[in-house]
Amino acid sequence: MEVPCFTRHCVKFMCKLLLFLLCLWIPREVGGRIGTTTISNSTGSSSRPSVLRIGALFTFNSVIGRSARPAIMAAIDDVNANTTILPGIKLEVILHDTNCSGFLGTVEALQLMENDVVAAIGPQSSGIAHIISHVVNELHVPLLSFAATDPSLSSLQHPYFIRTTQNDYFQMHAIADFVDYYRWREVIAIFVDDDNGRNGVSALGDALAKKRSKISYKAAFTPGATKNDISDLLNGVNLMESRVYVVHVNPDSGLEIFSVAKMLGMMTSGYVWISTDWLPSVLDSLENVDTNSDATNLLQGVIAFRHHTPDTNLKKSFISRLKSLKDKDTKNFNSYALYAYDSVWLAAHALDMFLNEGGNISFSSDPVLRNRNGSMLHLSSLRVSNGGQQFLQTILRTNFTGISGQIQFDMNKNLINPAYDILNIGGFGSRRIGYWSNLSGLSVIAPEVLYQKPPNTSTSNQQLYSVIWPGETTKIPRGWVFPNNGKPLRIAVPNRVSYFEFVSKDKNPPGVKGYCIDVFEAAINLLPYPVPRQYILFGNGDTNPDYNDLAYQLSQNNFDAAVGDVTIVTNRTRIVDFTQPFMESGLVVVVPVKRIKSSSWSFLEPFTTQMWCVTAAFFLFVGAVVWVLEHRHNNEFRGTPWQQVTTVFWFILSTMFFSHRENTVSTLGRLVLIIWLFVVLIINSSYTASLTSILTVQQLSSQIEGIDSLTSGIQPIGIQEGSFAKKYLIDELNIAPSRIVTLKNPDAYIDALSRGPNNGGVLAVVDELPYIELFMSNTNCKFRTVGKEFTKSGWGFAFQRDSPLAIDLSTAILQLSENGDLQKIHNKWLLKHDCVVEFNNDESYKLSLSSFWLLFLIIGIACFIALTMFFIKVMCQYNKFNPDPDEEHGDGEVQVQPMLTTSFKGLMDFVDKREADIKDILRQKSKKRRRNQNLEDNLH
């Protein structure tokens, strides 16, 4: 958060004032050091000093200090023993104890700066770091803090502050990812009200917001709060909805919170406790934490985040070395010991690089701090490091592998590759359930392995091992309960004046009834926890309420939920959360209908003109084919030309009613007739069904075919009072507001539609489908919908943003749908007789050729094949029937028999002959040929 300009000036003024006042502590004797001083060796060379001093500023008797002090001293010894780093130079450390006091810590820091230190290690307190940063900025002395994790210290306001541990900014994002992994939406932050606590919780809020979660309450307590203060604080948060607590406090007093929580029964099933890195720091400092039953019993089920440091042999040997020290103040060491050790080495590496590059260690008086007019403030004892700016840049580009991991800074002065171990405390200690890193998020694979792979923070890649939660259960806590403050859920119910089947006022408890209420009650009963609730009518009861206003009142915390026929639309979803829809909905157009008298030409309407023409043509064609196939075989198809024509027409038309009397005797004729009768059967059935529908179905009296034709006109349109349809028609479909007529109830619908636009009514009504279905059913289907639904939405229960009830009720609604209870409730309130879907007043209902072309194709192919086979047979007979030119009789005379001409007329005459006559002639010709052949054989 940006600080206003006035506030920044006040802070700078107060810091400088504090600087002046604290300088009164500086002894008078040091006030005479004015000018430039160069640290040199015994030979007088100024390039490589023999001794360099660094300072260390932290609280010795603290969880962090007891681990850091031995580590710092060990680092000084190791640096001096290493001949490759600062050769010929002895590195000395000056320790100052801040005594857990911001005021004394600042005084100690000023006294430390009198010693011309080239760098300062510490402090561990973020509050002290904020003040000291102004001092080191003025004196150009880098401040290497191994424990101040406040995210705001990384700002440009503190250029000489360098954090050698992980920034809480990353830890808060790790916690946010953990919260999102279990789909919790609200947490309560419990923190110490100091710079570190406030700024850390602020970073947590920002991280949660990116995951659509939030801090529902910030429970702050003062540093040094008593047990009673903590008890009062926890009693207050226990009455709230969220059961996910993030504890961000100091390690020296943090266990007191869990002690009080256990006493209040807040460490049982259903609670979630998440601790920042302070808790692992405490546990890692305890002796034999795995067997420390008091600590593990107190913290059973707690989730804790610990700085991740690679488990290397160097780290193991260093921890073993610290444990072997005789004068140590702690039995074990936490991660801050590693960061403190690496901080000293960072200063040593940077100093060595700085000197090797020609840097000069020197200090000079700051003219701004010189004594003037005999002032008693000995400010001249505070001296500026002349090479401080160059040394700072050297530190920031230093890169080496330390005990805590890779020591390298990014462009924001944060250590690269931030990572955390996620611990689950319980049983005989703690177990690691996974890791978090900024490259991969939550994972069960060590960050060192993931760094070798491309970054992947996708949801499917997030993994953790199972957790044993408070109460020794593996069931994931819901993360929230209804507030235990005696207040039931405030549920707003629309006070409608129409369509009472959906929701209405009731004299009996709970005070409301209807389809929507029954669905909500059934869903509530499926939840695994009780939901105290109170129904509150919304609206004056004279008109339907404004549902947009209902959503707004819900978003303003005037209600906790809204139950009723609330449509899920875009502008409402921006301010409230909806459940899964329990009723499908959408806008439709309604118009009046009347019965149209049948025309005297109605019998022609089942088929299109094209279909009639093609059918008639096939009747004639099939009749002709059957006559051709039967004419040579069947006497009923012979006679005078007039008799044959009438026979063909009579036969083919009688097949329409399957009443033909003429028999078919030829095989090909029977085949064609069977297929044709099947085609006639299909055509007859289709004609009968279509004609029946035309003569019985009601037709629309309006020419409106849907929303498109409605919007193109200028006639009035009716809508329901309080519906979102008005806004939709005006904003989305650009319909003039003057065309919109608000109707109060179904009676107004009937009146307006019956009168029509020319008599003060409306052309059509636009409303949601559930209302219209009920309306049409109750009016005996005197009205009909036209076109399709032109919006797709649904009805849902509305809740305040991020309410967990919305998710649980959505699951319950799906369960109601799957087990059939939702349909049963629908049948109870809304089951009416359905109206038959109408036809539009056009030719779309007529049967066209496209419905029968395959049948006509089949009969056409059958006729073609039959005719082809018939003519092949005729041509074969015709060739046999044609005699040789000379045929001898038995008396030896040659007789020339009248021969059939090969002209077309002769062929037609042959075709016209009866099949039996042709066969007789062919038999006689065959006998005659055999007889003549025998005579010739005898002559020879």
Side-chain angles (χ1 to χ4, degrees):
M1 182 177 65
E2 184 178 350
V3 180
C5 183
F6 173 77
T7 305
R8 291 199 299 269
H9 287 318
C10 288
V11 170
K12 290 186 69 177
F13 174 77
M14 293 301 294
C15 290
K16 290 186 177 181
L17 178 61
L18 180 62
L19 181 63
F20 277 105
L21 292 176
L22 293 178
C23 284
L24 293 174
W25 290 70
I26 301 174
R28 181 183 296 268
E29 292 76 12
V30 300
R33 296 191 301 172
I34 301 175
T36 301
T37 301
T38 301
I39 300 177
S40 61
N41 57 17
S42 57
T43 62
S45 174
S46 61
S47 60
R48 301 287 294 187
S50 59
V51 177
L52 289 177
R53 288 187 293 272
I54 62 174
L57 190 69
F58 55 92
T59 300
F60 294 169
N61 188 24
S62 65
V63 171
I64 295 177
R66 287 190 290 270
S67 290
R69 186 174 183 179
I72 291 175
M73 300 308 298
I76 293 294
D77 294 340
D78 291 347
V79 169
N80 289 329
N82 193 318
T83 58
T84 62
I85 300 295
L86 297 176
I89 300 175
K90 181 180 180 182
L91 188 64
E92 295 182 351
V93 62
I94 302 174
L95 301 177
H96 279 259
D97 189 359
T98 60
N99 293 306
C100 291
S101 170
F103 179 76
L104 293 180
T106 306
V107 173
E108 293 293 334
L110 291 170
Q111 291 180 348
L112 178 64
M113 295 303 161
E114 297 176 10
N115 298 289
D116 291 342
V117 294
V118 294
I121 308 297
Q124 72 186 61
S125 168
S126 296
I128 298 176
H130 275 281
I131 299 176
I132 297 178
S133 292
H134 294 284
V135 177
V136 298
N137 289 348
E138 189 71 26
L139 302 180
H140 297 179
V141 176
L143 187 64
L144 311 180
S145 177
F146 59 87
T149 57
D150 180 359
S152 66
L153 286 169
S154 297
S155 66
L156 298 176
Q157 186 182 8
H158 310 290
Y160 281 86
F161 176 84
I162 301 174
R163 197 193 323 268
T164 58
T165 186
Q166 299 295 349
N167 189 340
D168 270 349
Y169 170 87
F170 299 107
Q171 180 172 209
M172 297 309 169
H173 275 74
I175 294 176
D177 283 349
F178 182 83
V179 170
D180 182 65
Y181 180 80
Y182 288 103
R183 302 188 181 279
W184 298 317
R185 288 292 169 257
E186 294 184 2
V187 303
I188 292 178
I190 302 173
F191 62 98
V192 178
D193 194 11
D194 58 11
D195 289 334
N196 184 59
R198 287 190 300 271
N199 294 328
V201 169
S202 177
L204 175 62
D206 294 340
L208 288 171
K210 296 178 181 179
K211 303 293 184 180
R212 285 204 64 185
S213 302
K214 67 178 181 179
I215 299 176
S216 60
Y217 183 72
K218 296 180 180 180
F221 59 90
T222 59
T226 64
K227 189 173 184 178
N228 289 334
D229 295 335
I230 297 175
S231 179
D232 293 340
L233 182 72
L234 293 184
N235 271 316
V237 301
N238 197 32
L239 297 176
M240 299 178 183
E241 181 178 285
S242 178
R243 282 291 183 264
V244 182
Y245 305 124
V246 177
V247 184
H248 185 52
V249 296
N250 299 326
D252 296 283
S253 58
L255 290 179
E256 190 71 28
I257 293 176
F258 291 103
S259 176
V260 175
K262 190 172 185 66
M263 181 181 63
L264 296 177
M266 297 175 66
M267 299 296 295
T268 56
S269 178
Y271 289 86
V272 178
W273 290 90
I274 303 173
S275 169
T276 53
D277 61 278
W278 68 267
L279 182 56
S281 299
V282 174
L283 298 180
D284 290 344
S285 301
L286 297 177
E287 183 178 10
N288 298 325
V289 66
D290 293 343
T291 59
N292 193 325
S293 59
D294 293 337
T296 55
N297 289 337
L298 182 65
L299 302 170
Q300 193 279 321
V302 174
I303 299 296
F305 285 75
R306 179 176 63 189
H307 298 126
H308 174 73
T309 55
D311 195 14
T312 60
N313 293 330
L314 182 63
K315 171 184 170 181
K316 294 177 181 178
S317 62
F318 176 71
I319 294 296
S320 177
R321 171 186 168 189
L322 292 182
K323 289 181 179 180
S324 65
L325 296 176
K326 296 181 179 180
D327 55 348
K328 62 182 184 294
D329 297 323
T330 181
K331 300 297 183 182
N332 282 318
F333 296 85
N334 53 45
S335 61
Y336 288 105
L338 309 180
Y339 289 118
Y341 181 86
D342 286 343
S343 298
V344 176
W345 272 99
L346 172 62
H349 279 289
L351 283 170
D352 187 61
M353 189 185 306
F354 176 73
L355 294 174
N356 291 337
E357 292 175 352
N360 187 27
I361 306 295
S362 63
F363 297 86
S364 61
S365 300
D366 190 344
V368 178
L369 301 180
R370 286 187 179 179
N371 297 333
R372 296 184 181 273
N373 300 326
S375 173
M376 298 298 294
L377 300 175
H378 304 291
L379 302 178
S380 59
S381 60
L382 299 177
R383 296 150 61 81
V384 178
S385 175
N386 295 325
Q389 178 63 32
Q390 181 183 354
F391 181 44
L392 173 65
Q393 298 305 319
T394 303
I395 292 176
L396 294 178
R397 56 189 174 89
T398 301
N399 181 5
F400 70 97
T401 301
I403 294 178
S404 61
Q406 188 70 21
I407 305 299
Q408 184 181 353
F409 298 96
D410 60 19
M411 59 183 300
N412 295 318
K413 299 193 301 183
N414 292 315
L415 289 177
I416 64 171
N417 299 333
Y420 291 86
D421 298 334
I422 305 176
L423 308 178
N424 182 205
I425 303 172
F428 296 99
S430 62
R431 64 186 183 94
R432 185 164 50 209
I433 60 172
Y435 306 89
W436 180 92
S437 67
N438 64 329
L439 293 181
S440 60
L442 302 174
S443 175
V444 295
I445 303 175
E448 293 78 24
V449 178
L450 296 176
Y451 290 151
Q452 310 302 321
K453 302 178 181 179
N456 187 357
T457 57
S458 61
T459 303
S460 60
N461 196 52
Q462 307 301 292
Q463 293 180 350
L464 290 175
Y465 292 121
S466 61
V467 177
I468 301 176
W469 304 100
E472 298 186 1
T473 177
T474 57
K475 182 180 179 181
I476 300 174
R478 191 169 66 248
W480 66 277
V481 295
F482 282 96
N484 189 20
N485 51 18
K487 295 181 180 179
L489 200 67
R490 300 166 299 169
I491 302 176
V493 177
N495 191 9
R496 295 190 55 86
V497 296
S498 60
Y499 296 112
F500 298 121
E501 291 87 347
F502 294 110
V503 61
S504 65
K505 184 179 180 180
D506 189 18
K507 297 180 180 179
N508 301 320
V512 288
K513 63 180 181 179
Y515 169 74
C516 300
I517 302 300
D518 281 6
V519 172
F520 181 75
E521 289 289 335
I524 286 291
N525 292 334
L526 291 178
L527 301 181
Y529 48 86
V531 181
R533 53 198 177 276
Q534 175 188 4
Y535 293 103
I536 303 172
L537 291 173
F538 180 79
N540 55 23
D542 296 327
T543 60
N544 287 332
D546 187 341
Y547 285 74
N548 288 331
D549 183 48
L550 173 59
Y552 175 76
Q553 296 298 329
L554 178 60
S555 69
Q556 296 301 306
N557 197 31
N558 294 324
F559 301 104
D560 298 312
V563 172
D565 50 340
V566 184
T567 307
I568 304 172
V569 293
T570 304
N571 63 313
R572 297 171 189 169
T573 58
R574 294 191 180 104
I575 57 177
V576 298
D577 284 347
F578 282 93
T579 62
Q580 171 83 11
F582 62 88
M583 168 75 85
E584 296 297 327
S585 179
L587 292 178
V588 293
V589 179
V590 181
V591 295
V593 297
K594 69 177 182 181
R595 186 179 297 276
I596 302 297
K597 294 182 179 180
S598 299
S599 168
S600 58
W601 295 96
S602 296
F603 67 90
L604 295 177
E605 293 183 5
F607 291 157
T608 62
T609 302
Q610 183 188 40
M611 179 64 184
W612 278 119
C613 293
V614 172
T615 302
F618 264 87
F619 266 96
L620 296 177
F621 174 67
V622 173
V625 170
V626 172
W627 176 82
V628 169
L629 298 177
E630 291 292 320
H631 178 70
R632 302 184 73 196
H633 299 273
N634 196 336
N635 290 330
E636 294 180 352
F637 287 87
R638 300 183 67 84
T640 65
W642 176 250
Q643 289 177 336
Q644 296 185 53
V645 170
T646 55
T647 299
V648 169
F649 274 97
W650 166 253
F651 174 79
I652 201 63
L653 291 176
S654 63
T655 58
M656 183 184 302
F657 312 103
F658 304 97
S659 59
H660 52 285
R661 293 176 300 175
E662 293 78 9
N663 294 321
T664 53
V665 296
S666 68
T667 303
L668 293 177
R670 290 175 178 177
L671 174 65
V672 171
L673 184 61
I674 289 174
I675 298 176
W676 173 246
L677 291 177
F678 174 75
V679 173
V680 170
L681 174 65
I682 301 299
I683 293 176
N684 277 347
S685 301
S686 302
Y687 176 86
T688 303
S690 180
L691 182 61
T692 302
S693 300
I694 292 172
L695 296 178
T696 58
V697 171
Q698 293 175 333
Q699 302 296 317
L700 294 177
S701 64
S702 173
Q703 295 302 316
I704 298 299
E705 299 177 3
I707 188 61
D708 293 334
S709 57
L710 187 63
T711 55
S712 60
I714 59 174
Q715 295 164 309
I717 304 170
I719 64 165
Q720 183 183 173
E721 185 179 52
S723 172
F724 77 96
K726 180 176 182 179
K727 181 176 176 61
Y728 181 84
L729 294 177
I730 295 174
D731 295 346
E732 301 296 333
L733 302 182
N734 298 318
I735 294 178
S738 58
R739 294 183 60 192
I740 307 299
V741 178
T742 301
L743 304 175
K744 186 175 183 179
N745 52 42
D747 293 336
Y749 283 21
I750 298 173
D751 179 65
L753 289 171
S754 300
R755 286 190 285 121
N758 298 327
N759 297 315
V762 296
L763 178 65
V765 170
V766 175
D767 205 351
E768 294 183 73
L769 184 59
Y771 300 124
I772 295 305
E773 288 179 340
L774 192 61
F775 168 71
M776 292 193 303
S777 179
N778 291 336
T779 55
N780 295 322
C781 302
K782 294 180 180 179
F783 304 91
R784 289 290 184 273
T785 61
V786 290
K788 298 180 180 180
E789 295 179 61
F790 54 94
T791 64
K792 287 292 185 180
S793 58
W795 292 354
F797 304 128
F799 292 88
Q800 293 181 10
R801 293 291 296 219
D802 302 320
S803 172
L805 254 181
I807 299 175
D808 289 355
L809 276 180
S810 294
T811 304
I813 291 172
L814 291 175
Q815 188 174 347
L816 287 175
S817 178
E818 292 171 357
N819 61 23
D821 289 344
L822 192 61
Q823 185 62 41
K824 292 178 182 177
I825 299 174
H826 182 277
N827 296 342
K828 172 185 175 182
W829 289 96
L830 308 176
L831 184 60
K832 306 291 182 180
H833 64 277
D834 295 330
C835 295
V836 179
V837 179
E838 71 285 342
F839 291 101
N840 289 331
N841 194 17
D842 56 18
E843 293 192 356
S844 61
Y845 60 88
K846 293 187 176 182
L847 298 174
S848 65
L849 181 61
S850 60
S851 302
F852 301 96
W853 67 268
L854 183 61
L855 290 174
F856 288 126
L857 178 64
I858 292 173
I859 186 62
I861 293 175
C863 290
F864 175 77
I865 293 174
L867 288 175
T868 301
M869 295 177 64
F870 172 78
F871 281 112
I872 291 174
K873 179 181 178 182
V874 168
M875 292 306 296
C876 290
Q877 290 178 342
Y878 183 67
N879 290 333
K880 293 179 180 180
F881 184 80
N882 216 0
D884 296 334
D886 295 320
E887 291 189 359
E888 297 180 358
H889 290 275
D891 56 4
E893 296 181 357
V894 179
Q895 297 284 343
V896 179
Q897 184 176 341
M899 298 177 57
L900 292 175
T901 178
T902 59
S903 66
F904 178 76
K905 181 178 181 302
L907 178 62
M908 291 298 99
D909 291 341
F910 179 80
V911 172
D912 187 57
K913 290 182 177 293
R914 296 177 65 252
E915 180 73 16
D917 295 341
I918 296 297
K919 289 181 178 180
D920 289 341
I921 294 174
L922 290 177
R923 280 196 297 270
Q924 292 176 6
K925 286 175 65 68
S926 177
K927 290 180 180 179
K928 188 174 181 179
R929 287 193 183 96
R930 286 198 299 270
R931 186 170 59 249
N932 292 336
Q933 183 67 35
N934 293 333
L935 290 174
E936 290 179 358
D937 292 340
N938 293 331
L939 291 176
H940 289 294

